[in-house]
Amino acid sequence: MGRAMTDSSQAAESFVTLADAEESQVPMYARLCRAIADRPEVAGLLLEAPVAQRLPVLLLAALHEAVLLDPDSALAPWYPSVGGDAGLSGDLGAALDATLRDHWERIRTTVASRQVQTNEVNRCVAWRAGLALMCRGDDRQLALVELGSSAGLNLGVDRYLISFDSGGDVEAVGPADSPVRLRTSLRTGSWPALTAPIPPVAERIGIDLSPLDPTDSDDTRWLTACVWPEQLLRLERLKAALDATAAAPPHVLRGDLVDRLDDAFDLVGDDRHVVVLSSWALGYLPRDRRASLQRRLALLAGRCADRGSRLTVLTLEADHVVPWTPTPALRSDAPPELRHASLLASTGFDHRGRTESTALARCQAHLAWMERLDPGTDA
């Protein structure tokens, strides 16, 4: 997650960085980010949050929640999530000021008390691509264990219809009648066995400090607020995934991602392929806790081997966040969207707990696109 944020100037800089990275995807949110960056006292609201949660998307979600609760607010005309038009002309900064005046205390309290829990279900396309590679030659049933699982939506990866678009050549995998339909564009590289069958999922287990309930209105509103309001397709996917998950919820444990791993593994049967999943979760852990996670996973790999099981890990995190995965170099002229992309990596553990990790792809944070990586080459 980079350096710890300690003052409003750093907070303002983080909004500019987000605007640069995502302007092509969310032009209105980019404008809003720049307006916030021009107002240090507003950007400084992030300092109300715990250090690991001082992220621009947290304040943006708090603003979005205020708009969802007050669809007559000054910002609402720019928010398609409440019927607005993201391309509306006018003074977005003035609307921001007015909304903050009306809802300052609610927004401040939300920033101080909530966590970023963007349970972006489209990230399942990365899980499906990774699982197709990791399960080749291994037909053991899967036990999925997700770190930072939020409401557990991404544990339903095998229940969703997933499409991979290679320049108009679309491959789809998953139940054709699923109401949850996910999609990504494959920009470069070949993907062997991309849609190969995967074994059945026997266990779905999540770990989260503050699990969200897919049937609770406050929790589902917060998940909605964490979605960028001009991306209506994402909002539709979220609603469909919430409904599907509420009908068949996973087992989500409340607590620390490292400390509760053993409890999660206690719920896994013998002779399983245990796959630990992490998407934009490890960056919230201090560096020493990431190292602790690596050691704990190594120990659990041995425990799995004793039970006829296998442990692998799929991570979708920012560069340099996963301590056991080498980060492929980027070209010096790489565009911002690549510099700020997520890195999809697979990691295997042998019976002695030693790791072998491979970077598979760079991905847009919400999997609008994926770029396959060849190990050992610059991106």
Side-chain angles (χ1 to χ4, degrees):
M1 289 291 176
R3 61 180 176 171
M5 185 184 297
T6 58
D7 59 48
S8 59
S9 64
Q10 291 173 343
E13 181 183 338
S14 73
F15 283 96
V16 174
T17 298
L18 180 61
D20 288 343
E22 301 295 346
E23 192 156 19
S24 63
Q25 297 289 326
V26 281
M28 186 276 286
Y29 246 21
R31 286 176 61 202
L32 187 60
C33 282
R34 297 188 197 284
I36 292 171
D38 288 339
R39 295 160 170 80
E41 73 285 359
V42 178
L45 276 170
L46 285 183
L47 302 179
E48 298 281 343
V51 172
Q53 287 290 325
R54 291 175 184 174
L55 304 166
V57 288
L58 177 60
L59 177 52
L60 291 170
L63 278 166
H64 191 186
E65 185 181 47
V67 172
L68 292 171
L69 287 165
D70 179 13
D72 295 322
S73 63
L75 273 175
W78 281 268
Y79 278 62
S81 56
V82 292
D85 177 2
L88 188 69
S89 60
D91 194 338
L92 186 62
L96 169 65
D97 293 336
T99 299
L100 286 166
R101 282 195 301 271
D102 291 343
H103 298 285
W104 180 269
E105 190 55 31
R106 165 176 283 280
I107 291 166
R108 188 197 67 77
T109 300
T110 300
V111 168
S113 61
R114 280 288 194 180
Q115 301 174 22
V116 178
Q117 291 179 286
T118 308
N119 213 167
E120 176 47 61
V121 71
N122 206 50
R123 289 174 179 158
C124 281
V125 301
W127 297 157
R128 188 58 178 79
L131 287 170
L133 292 171
M134 297 164 71
C135 292
R136 287 185 297 181
D138 189 345
D139 61 0
R140 282 174 286 195
Q141 289 185 306
L142 293 169
L144 303 181
V145 178
E146 186 179 15
L147 307 179
S149 57
S150 187
L153 308 186
N154 289 339
L155 288 163
V157 55
D158 57 320
R159 296 170 173 167
Y160 306 150
L161 180 65
I162 298 172
S163 297
F164 299 92
D165 185 348
S166 302
D169 182 14
V170 179
E171 290 185 90
V173 65
D177 61 349
S178 174
V180 184
R181 296 173 177 266
L182 314 178
R183 191 180 188 94
T184 195
S185 295
L186 302 177
R187 287 183 167 181
T188 61
S190 61
W191 290 76
L194 181 65
T195 58
I198 60 174
V201 178
E203 288 97 15
R204 306 170 199 269
I205 304 160
I207 306 174
D208 200 282
L209 279 174
S210 301
L212 298 181
D213 182 349
T215 67
D216 180 85
S217 60
D218 288 342
D219 285 353
T220 57
R221 184 178 61 247
W222 178 244
L223 279 175
T224 301
C226 287
V227 174
W228 298 345
E230 56 202 291
Q231 295 187 322
L232 294 178
L233 178 59
R234 286 184 62 203
L235 290 165
E236 292 170 7
R237 285 196 304 247
L238 173 64
K239 174 62 166 63
L242 282 167
D243 290 344
T245 304
H251 193 140
V252 180
L253 303 174
R254 180 183 297 272
D256 180 82
L257 306 186
V258 181
D259 293 342
R260 299 228 59 185
L261 260 179
D262 288 84
D263 297 327
F265 276 63
D266 286 341
L267 301 173
V268 173
D270 293 342
D271 196 28
R272 296 283 195 261
H273 181 180
V274 184
V275 181
V276 175
L277 306 170
S278 170
S279 64
W280 283 85
L282 301 189
Y284 299 111
L285 293 179
R287 284 186 175 84
D288 63 329
R289 292 300 283 165
R290 296 177 214 164
S292 296
L293 174 65
Q294 182 178 7
R295 291 191 294 270
R296 184 67 59 87
L297 288 169
L299 290 171
L300 288 170
R303 177 177 164 188
C304 284
D306 292 341
R307 297 167 58 186
S309 296
R310 167 193 176 196
L311 172 63
T312 53
V313 179
L314 269 177
T315 52
L316 185 69
E317 302 282 353
D319 276 3
H320 308 292
V321 165
V322 183
W324 57 84
T325 299
T327 301
L330 276 169
R331 300 186 309 267
S332 59
D333 62 345
E337 65 176 5
L338 272 183
R339 293 200 304 271
H340 300 290
S342 305
L343 189 68
L344 174 65
S346 66
T347 303
F349 292 80
D350 68 14
H351 68 286
R352 295 181 181 178
R354 294 175 299 198
T355 62
E356 181 178 349
S357 190
T358 303
L360 301 176
R362 291 193 187 277
C363 312
Q364 192 271 339
H366 303 131
L367 271 294
W369 52 262
M370 304 174 70
E371 288 198 1
R372 183 80 162 99
L373 290 172
D374 294 322
T377 65
D378 288 356

